[in-house]
Structure formats: structure tokens, C-alpha cells
Amino acid sequence: MRLLQGWPLVGTVAMLIALPCLAIVLAGGGQVDDLRLVIRITARTSLVLFCLAFTASALVRQWPGTATRWLRRNRRYVGVSFAASHGLHAIAIVAFAMADPVRFNAQVPLPTLIGGGFAYVLIAAMVATSFDRTAALIGPRAWKILHTVGSYYVWIVFFQGFAKRSVDDPFYLVPAAVVIAAMVIRWMPAITRRRAAA
């Protein structure tokens, strides 16, 4: 299906996330609690999309099949879809900060803003180099360094965010476990190779 391949996939995913979020905000009149709900929703959609892109190569090596081959073939577009979801997440955060700055500052410490802000810088750089022409401009070595460092940094941000919240709310143990599972899957091919060579 054309909408689930290549760049059309990005538009499809972005629309499927944006429309419900917009409906929530419009239905509630843009109240702070509505914005916080959108923040939570986009955090989870971003997590799923990030983990799919982060593990695509490892999944197809460990479990080759139609689904994993599709994921590996569309990894770039799943990654950009993650960036679109996280862009909506950022918009909701900014709207929350503008709507209730006192509550926002009480709930979001400065180190979180700085760490999360740097993640957005890396995400923007990875999206900018997700096109053939821009990837060629920086060269394969620089591209690999950027996307490897960027993806691992985003992984750390996700893990730190969900793990910290799980202390007060056990529900966050689920997304924290998903983040850990993504790293395990990512490293499974390398572990398998080392065992085979031993």
C-alpha cells in the first residue's frame, strides 16, 4: 500500500497522531490538562516510533520476515515519523508552558529542559540528513556518527524520563521496560556473533 511506504508513510503517521491530538485540544478548549494529555500521548507515540527505527536492523537480522523487512526498508521514514510525533510533543510542551508557566516550571526542572532541548537539536540534525542529498553532503562517516550518537542520546532521554517517573507512578515501568527491551534487541545481533565466534 502506497501510504505505508516511503515518504507517504511519514504523512500518514503524522496525520494519525496530529488529528486526535487536535481533537482533544479543540474539544477541551485548550485547557492545561488537555495539553498535558497530548504531551503524554505524543510521548508514547514517539517512543513506539523511535524504538521501531532504533531496532529495525537488529530485528530483521534476528527475525527475518515480511514485517521486519518492511521495517528495515522504511527505517528512514519511521525515524522521520518519530521526529514528526516528537515535534507535536514539543508544540504541546510549549503550549503548556505558555498556558500555565508557574505549573510548568514546578513540574519541569531546568536540567530536563536543557537535556530535552539538546535531544531536539540532534533530532533536527538527523532529520535534515535523512535526505539523500544532505546525507551525501556530510559524507557516510559523519552521517553514521551523527545518527548513532543522536539515537543513543534520544534513548537515554527516553529511559531517564520514564524511569524517573516510574518511582512515583508504577505505570511508567511499562514504557521504561520497552526502552530497555529496545536496547537489548539492538545489541542482540552483536551478542549472537560474539557467542558464535567464541
Side-chain angles (χ1 to χ4, degrees), residues 19-30:
L19 289 180
C21 290
L22 182 61
I24 289 169
V25 173
L26 292 178

Side-chain angles (χ1 to χ4, degrees), residues 12-188:
T12 301
V13 172
M15 185 174 62
L16 289 173
I17 297 170
L19 289 180
C21 290
L22 182 61
I24 289 169
V25 173
L26 292 178
Q31 298 297 313
V32 169
D33 286 341
D34 299 322
L35 296 171
R36 294 182 71 230
L37 176 58
V38 170
I39 289 170
R40 290 194 296 272
I41 290 171
T42 52
R44 284 153 183 76
T45 55
S46 295
L47 171 65
V48 171
L49 291 165
F50 170 77
C51 287
L52 288 172
F54 189 68
T55 60
S57 294
L59 284 170
V60 78
R61 287 175 189 155
Q62 291 297 119
W63 300 286
T66 303
T68 54
R69 288 191 184 97
W70 174 89
L71 179 60
R72 176 63 184 86
R73 189 169 60 251
N74 289 281
R75 181 177 64 173
R76 175 195 303 192
Y77 312 107
V78 174
V80 176
S81 297
F82 151 69
S85 173
H86 224 46
L88 292 170
H89 184 69
I91 291 170
I93 290 173
V94 171
F96 172 29
M98 293 175 64
D100 192 343
V102 174
R103 189 175 176 186
F104 177 82
N105 290 330
Q107 294 183 357
V108 184
L110 184 60
T112 299
L113 281 176
I114 295 172
F118 185 61
Y120 275 104
V121 171
L122 291 173
I123 291 168
M126 288 190 286
V127 170
T129 54
S130 290
F131 303 89
D132 292 339
R133 183 171 295 181
T134 51
L137 280 175
I138 67 171
R141 186 171 182 274
W143 185 95
K144 184 175 179 61
I145 291 172
L146 170 62
H147 284 254
T148 300
V149 171
S151 62
Y152 276 94
Y153 185 86
V154 172
W155 183 91
I156 291 169
V157 169
F158 271 122
F159 176 73
Q160 185 269 341
F162 288 123
K164 180 177 68 175
R165 287 171 176 82
S166 68
V167 175
D168 298 319
D169 186 350
F171 174 79
Y172 284 95
L173 287 170
V174 175
V178 170
V179 177
I180 294 171
M183 183 63 78
V184 172
I185 292 170
R186 172 102 173 195
W187 280 95
M188 279 180 69

